């Protein structure tokens, strides 16, 4: 999102709140939305504005907040004492050059779009402020925007300081504003705390500006949802639902068929081809790439996977870190763990786990198996209950199963081992040595029947 004018920009994100109402030891701004911290959403949006600096004012849980968000260039500013929003912004001012515009955001208001913020910033300038306002259904708790008889923004009055007439005002403060640093610094330094909460209110700078004849340009949010903040877990769930609806809508408008948009969770980035179908209760995390005509059955959790054209994932699969070819069939109840590579036409059936292994074209493991640290060729049949014993209690070892091999039901392959091309392993075998190509290998006790054997009978009590 390139800004249309060139005034340098510093974004100040307030994140010093304690978040008591979260009732959680995790600092509020680290609570996850779509699987990542609230604050990281705000930082990412700020980045889209291409600012010269992003300054995060932190206080509560400081070290934890800093280390959780160490990636990316952010300047950390400590607010040791929480004396109000004006005091919080003031802490960041020493690091902001006078000729910058300052955009104030909040670590617990994660849904504002970069487009909205760019419009706001464009309304501010060296001698003008911009203020983001809204008209929520219920204005309770918000500061009210007081306009003069000419309709110009004159000041903001906090709910707790407002008289009855002011409380009736419908236009509310989102808290987000853009102001020239030179003026903002002067106003912040002049703030008092003679108000109902005994705090330094950032909102008071609006009245100070208007009193000096500095224009405050309001931008009224069309949809107050964008400015929703998070104070408790119920509001967090509300925001998650908003995000869920938005991502599902985006996918549907991109051509994906979604069985129920209220029952699809996307916590990452999804790219997709044409005619993809996502059934109910699907969770997609990390980076997920879906080819043409991919079908995902109900209840699947898929993280960091690539799935090829025409592949079907049947219900209740948990797939992580898999690269799956075209026309494969996975599940129901299959699990892949990282570094799984499945070629075209592979079938993975119920209660089969695959880890750090590759399966070649049209190979099958249809029932009750574990395949770990294995290189499996093409057209291999892994029989029901086959276990690749890759772990000796200390180290993991590799197994190679060459093309067209068949492993019998309930066989154990003790790694490291190579099963030769076209080899067959008899059912119930535990193989730890060479399994030659093209032959039947049996490694189990021979069946025998005892003639004249009698089943014991109960002795009569005397
Ligand atoms: C503030 C606005 C109010 C607006 C509302 C929107 C002021 C005085 N009031 O009220 O007009 O309608 O937001 O939600 O600005 N924070 C700090 N350090 C502090 C104080 C606050 O970092 O010393 C952070 C908090 O973590 C929070 C944000 O600033 O994320 C807002 O603070 P809060 O005290 O909740 O302000 P509100 O009463 O909501
Ligand atoms: Ca608040």
């Amino acid at each position: 999102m390139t800004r249309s004018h060139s005034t340098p920009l510093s974004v100040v994100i307030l994140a010093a709140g304690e978040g008591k109402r979260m009732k959680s030891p995790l600092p509020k701004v680290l609570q996850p939305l779509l699987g990542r911290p609230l604050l990281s959403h705000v930082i990412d949006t700020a980045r889209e504005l291409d600012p010269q600096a992003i300054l995060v004012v932190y206080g509560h849980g400081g070290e934890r907040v800093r280390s959780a968000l160490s990636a990316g260039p952010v300047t950390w500013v400590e607010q040791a004492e929480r004396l109000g929003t004006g005091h919080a912004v003031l802490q960041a001012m020493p690091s902001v050059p006078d000729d910058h515009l300052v955009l104030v955001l909040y670590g617990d208001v994660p849904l504002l779009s970069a487009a909205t913020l760019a419009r706001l910033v464009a309304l501010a300038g060296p001698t003008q402020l911009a203020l983001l306002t809204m008209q929520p259904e219920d204005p309770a708790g918000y500061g009210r925007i007081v306009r003069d008889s000419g309709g110009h923004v004159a000041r903001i009055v906090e709910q707790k300081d407002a008289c009855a007439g002011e409380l009736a005002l419908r236009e509310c403060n989102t808290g987000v504003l853009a102001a020239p640093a030179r003026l903002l610094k002067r106003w912040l330094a002049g703030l008092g705390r003679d108000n109902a909460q005994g705090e330094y209110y950032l909102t008071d700078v609006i009245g100070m500006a208007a009193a000096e004849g500095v224009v405050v340009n309001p931008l009224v949010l069309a949809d107050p949802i964008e400015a929703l903040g998070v104070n408790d877990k119920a509001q967090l769930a509300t925001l998650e639902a908003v995000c869920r609806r938005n991502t599902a809508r985006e996918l549907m408008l991109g051509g994906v068929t979604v069985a129920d948009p209220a029952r699809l969770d996307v916590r990452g980035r999804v790219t997709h081809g044409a005619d993809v179908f996502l059934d109910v209760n699907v969770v997609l995390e990390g980076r997920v790439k879906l080819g043409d005509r991919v079908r995902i059955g109900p209840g699947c959790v898929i993280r960091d996977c690539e799935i090829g054209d025409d592949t079907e994932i049947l219900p209740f699969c948990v797939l992580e870190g898999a690269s799956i070819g075209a026309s494969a069939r996975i599940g129901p109840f299959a699990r892949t763990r990282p570094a799984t590579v499945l070629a075209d036409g592979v079938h993975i059936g119920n209660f089969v786990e695959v880890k750090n292994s590759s399966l070649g074209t049209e190979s099958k493991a249809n029932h009750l198996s574990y395949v770990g640290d294995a290189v499996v060729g093409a057209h291999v049949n892994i029989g029901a209950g086959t276990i690749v014993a890759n772990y000796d209690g200390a180290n993991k070892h590799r197994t190679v199963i060459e093309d067209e091999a068949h492993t019998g039901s309930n066989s154990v392959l003790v790694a490291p081992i190579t099963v030769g091309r076209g080899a067959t392993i008899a059912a119930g075998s535990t193989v730890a040595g060479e399994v030659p190509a093209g032959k039947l290998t049996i490694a189990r006790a021979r069946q025998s029947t005892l003639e004249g054997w009698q089943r014991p009978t109960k002795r009569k009590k005397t």
Side-chain angles (χ1 to χ4, degrees):
M1 180 88 30
T2 325
R3 284 173 295 124
S4 51
H5 66 99
S6 57
T7 314
L9 179 68
S10 284
V11 179
V12 176
I13 302 175
L14 303 194
E18 229 178 304
K20 276 206 186 100
R21 280 179 281 165
M22 281 288 169
K23 309 240 164 84
S24 163
L26 189 67
K28 173 157 82 168
V29 292
L30 294 187
Q31 299 283 338
L33 176 71
L34 296 178
R36 59 202 179 89
L38 287 170
L39 180 54
S40 80
H41 289 264
V42 182
I43 292 175
D44 287 355
T45 311
R47 250 185 218 128
E48 286 185 58
L49 300 171
D50 208 10
Q52 272 59 35
I54 298 176
L55 302 103
V56 179
V57 180
Y58 71 96
H60 186 80
E63 275 321 303
R64 246 178 120 178
V65 174
R66 289 181 63 152
S67 55
L69 291 152
S70 48
V74 164
T75 306
W76 296 95
V77 180
E78 189 177 5
Q79 185 191 23
E81 258 188 303
R82 211 172 159 277
L83 300 178
T85 48
H87 179 259
V89 176
L90 183 62
Q91 306 312 301
M93 287 301 106
S95 322
V96 178
D98 279 355
D99 64 336
H100 277 209
L101 278 178
V102 176
L103 172 65
V104 179
L105 302 177
Y106 300 82
D108 56 3
V109 180
L111 298 187
L112 281 166
S113 71
T116 297
L117 297 176
R119 282 174 63 205
L120 185 76
V121 170
L123 291 174
T127 58
Q128 290 182 53
L129 271 71
L131 180 67
L132 191 63
T133 72
M134 60 180 170
Q135 302 211 322
E137 297 236 328
D138 178 10
Y142 292 112
R144 308 296 204 281
I145 309 296
V146 181
R147 297 202 183 214
D148 65 19
S149 52
H152 305 292
V153 174
R155 61 191 172 88
I156 298 174
V157 58
E158 289 304 293
Q159 159 112 10
K160 287 183 178 143
D161 300 291
C163 64
E166 290 163 339
L167 285 177
L169 293 169
R170 297 297 318 275
E171 189 181 11
C172 293
N173 178 28
T174 64
V176 174
L177 57 82
R182 190 191 314 275
L183 294 174
L184 185 61
K185 287 179 184 182
R186 178 157 59 74
W187 294 325
L188 289 174
L191 286 179
R193 55 197 292 193
D194 181 16
N195 52 52
Q197 302 181 74
E199 289 180 2
Y200 297 100
Y201 289 166
L202 172 63
T203 45
D204 283 351
V205 306
I206 299 299
M208 293 164 130
E212 288 183 22
V214 174
V215 173
V216 179
N217 294 310
L219 175 63
V220 187
L221 263 186
D223 188 352
I225 274 187
E226 257 197 83
L228 278 184
V230 179
N231 291 306
D232 56 35
K233 294 281 172 91
Q235 288 168 342
L236 190 60
T238 302
L239 263 63
E240 187 83 29
V242 170
C243 294
R244 188 180 297 122
R245 202 166 61 215
N246 290 346
T247 45
R249 187 179 158 77
E250 226 170 86
L251 287 174
M252 292 186 294
L253 294 181
V256 174
T257 304
V258 175
D260 180 358
R263 285 184 288 169
L264 168 66
D265 282 78
V266 178
R267 304 177 191 141
R269 275 184 220 305
V270 176
T271 55
H272 60 84
D275 259 340
V276 166
F277 173 71
L278 303 178
D279 214 325
V280 297
N281 295 328
V282 167
V283 179
L284 304 176
E285 299 183 327
R287 289 187 184 276
V288 174
K289 194 172 168 198
L290 307 173
D292 292 337
R293 297 169 300 279
V294 165
R295 297 179 66 84
I296 312 276
C300 289
V301 180
I302 299 177
R303 166 193 286 254
D304 295 324
C305 288
E306 192 171 320
I307 301 177
D309 297 347
D310 297 297
T311 284
E312 182 165 17
I313 312 295
L314 294 158
F316 302 109
C317 290
V318 178
L319 308 181
E320 180 174 6
S323 167
I324 304 174
S327 302
R329 269 188 59 175
I330 313 296
F333 301 105
R335 179 177 184 207
T336 67
R337 288 161 55 202
T340 291
V341 179
L342 307 177
D344 295 352
V346 163
H347 288 188
I348 300 291
N350 40 269
F351 309 110
V352 172
E353 175 180 345
V354 183
K355 185 215 83 173
N356 187 30
S357 294
S358 60
L359 272 74
T361 308
E362 290 182 16
S363 284
K364 297 184 170 74
N366 273 328
H367 333 266
L368 304 161
S369 286
Y370 174 60
V371 181
D373 302 308
V375 178
V376 179
H379 303 283
V380 167
N381 190 70
I382 305 224
T386 297
I387 302 296
V388 173
N390 59 323
Y391 185 53
D392 59 15
N395 297 298
K396 307 238 163 85
H397 302 281
R398 283 201 82 69
T399 294
V400 175
I401 304 176
E402 294 179 350
D403 295 351
E404 287 157 34
H406 289 188
T407 71
S409 298
N410 204 32
S411 51
V412 178
L413 280 54
V414 181
I417 192 173
T418 295
V419 177
R421 185 187 178 106
T424 299
I425 296 172
S429 295
T430 295
V431 292
E434 197 198 352
V435 179
K439 296 182 178 164
L440 171 67
T441 297
I442 308 179
R444 65 178 186 225
R446 199 174 271 280
Q447 179 173 329
S448 62
T449 302
L450 299 188
E451 298 299 337
W453 176 83
Q454 296 249 311
R455 190 181 284 175
T457 52
K458 248 188 188 149
R459 237 179 289 140
K460 278 236 163 75
K461 280 193 187 128
T462 49

